Amino acid sequence: MKLEQRTLQVLKNYATINPSIMFKQGNVISTISPIQTVMSKATLPNQIPATFAFIDLSRFLGVLSLCESPEITLNENFLVVGDKNKQVQYTYADHKLIVAPGEKEITLHSVDVSFQLENEDLQSVLKAMGVLGLPEIAISGEDGKINIEAINSKNPNGDKYSVQVNSPISVVDKNAKFRMIITAENLKVLPGSYTVNVSSKGLIQLKGNDIEYWIATESCSSYVV
């Protein structure tokens, strides 16, 4: 088995959310942060033939980099990564040691706001967070307009970067005024355009073509009708 480029992209992203990973038989993979503030599920171009786990996903990705064109062979207690005259035996972890999502699907109890977030705008705000040293992103809405902002909620008079969403917006209550806040450490998503579904109950879903994220909002978030 050779891992496709998209599979590797997803795995590298997941290593920033949770250091460990559970591979399950099939082409769907998921992860959840150790403190359960971020969960993600992706559909892979690869079919995984068996269930196994690693305690250190970044280390496994490093093992793959030891080979120019790594071929993976699964065994009962370990897998073998090989290429030409190179070979690495890499042992699986005990499933009980892995913090992994449960079998039950996450559903939003309510979708109060929905809109399309284009990759250009997402990357613009992420870049601004880095340039300005801001720790949070806010999804702010009032009078039918939505802005994506890089902010520091503890310093409301400080620096702020804002991008207005130009895509069609669906808001359940047109009179709603809201500011849903996500910390930078929870916004570890792959580049891409996403449908964003916001629940006033404290959860945001980002849905892409082959990957979804569910991110908990901060307690300082607000949604007022």
Side-chain angles (χ1 to χ4, degrees):
M1 175 178 67
K2 288 183 182 290
L3 296 183
E4 301 287 344
Q5 188 61 36
R6 182 58 175 177
T7 298
L8 292 172
Q9 289 175 348
V10 170
L11 293 179
K12 289 174 183 177
N13 174 242
Y14 280 10
T16 69
I17 296 173
N18 186 336
S20 60
I21 193 74
M22 176 82 74
F23 289 87
K24 295 184 178 181
Q25 187 173 11
N27 69 335
V28 175
I29 192 168
S30 60
T31 191
I32 191 169
S33 63
I35 58 173
Q36 300 186 3
T37 53
V38 183
M39 180 182 161
S40 180
K41 180 178 73 173
T43 302
L44 304 177
N46 285 99
Q47 283 285 340
I48 307 301
T51 298
F52 57 95
F54 294 128
I55 200 71
D56 191 338
L57 176 55
S58 292
R59 190 165 181 254
F60 170 64
L61 292 170
V63 166
L64 293 178
S65 72
L66 296 174
C67 297
E68 199 172 303
S69 181
E71 180 79 34
I72 299 171
T73 304
L74 302 184
N75 293 279
E76 185 177 354
N77 298 311
F78 61 87
L79 58 72
V80 174
V81 179
D83 177 25
K84 297 179 182 177
N85 62 336
K86 303 170 189 173
Q87 183 172 292
V88 182
Q89 179 176 306
Y90 199 73
T91 306
Y92 305 141
D94 186 335
H95 294 186
K96 296 177 183 177
L97 299 176
I98 307 301
V99 177
E103 296 297 328
K104 189 176 180 180
E105 292 281 334
I106 289 185
T107 56
L108 297 182
H109 293 298
S110 64
V111 176
D112 299 291
V113 182
S114 184
F115 63 92
Q116 184 72 14
L117 177 59
E118 300 300 336
N119 183 55
E120 181 181 356
D121 291 339
L122 173 61
Q123 298 309 316
S124 174
V125 176
L126 292 175
K127 181 178 179 181
M129 289 179 75
V131 170
L132 296 172
L134 297 170
E136 297 157 323
I137 277 183
I139 299 173
S140 298
E142 188 175 5
D143 298 328
K145 296 179 181 179
I146 292 180
N147 290 308
I148 310 298
E149 304 166 341
I151 64 164
N152 182 350
S153 62
K154 294 180 179 178
N155 183 15
N157 296 319
D159 298 334
K160 181 176 78 171
Y161 179 85
S162 181
V163 175
Q164 185 172 324
V165 172
N166 291 321
S167 70
I169 299 165
S170 173
V171 181
V172 171
D173 195 312
K174 300 298 182 182
N175 296 317
K177 180 179 179 181
F178 54 89
R179 200 179 204 207
M180 311 305 288
I181 298 172
I182 303 170
T183 64
E185 61 204 40
N186 285 339
L187 195 68
K188 296 173 179 176
V189 302
L190 282 170
S193 296
Y194 294 92
T195 298
V196 180
N197 295 315
V198 179
S199 171
S200 59
K201 304 300 183 183
L203 196 62
I204 293 176
Q205 177 192 35
L206 281 75
K207 187 173 184 178
N209 290 331
D210 60 356
I211 192 166
E212 296 177 68
Y213 299 88
W214 293 265
I215 305 172
T217 58
E218 297 300 293
S219 60
C220 55
S221 300
S222 62
Y223 188 96
V224 181
V225 177

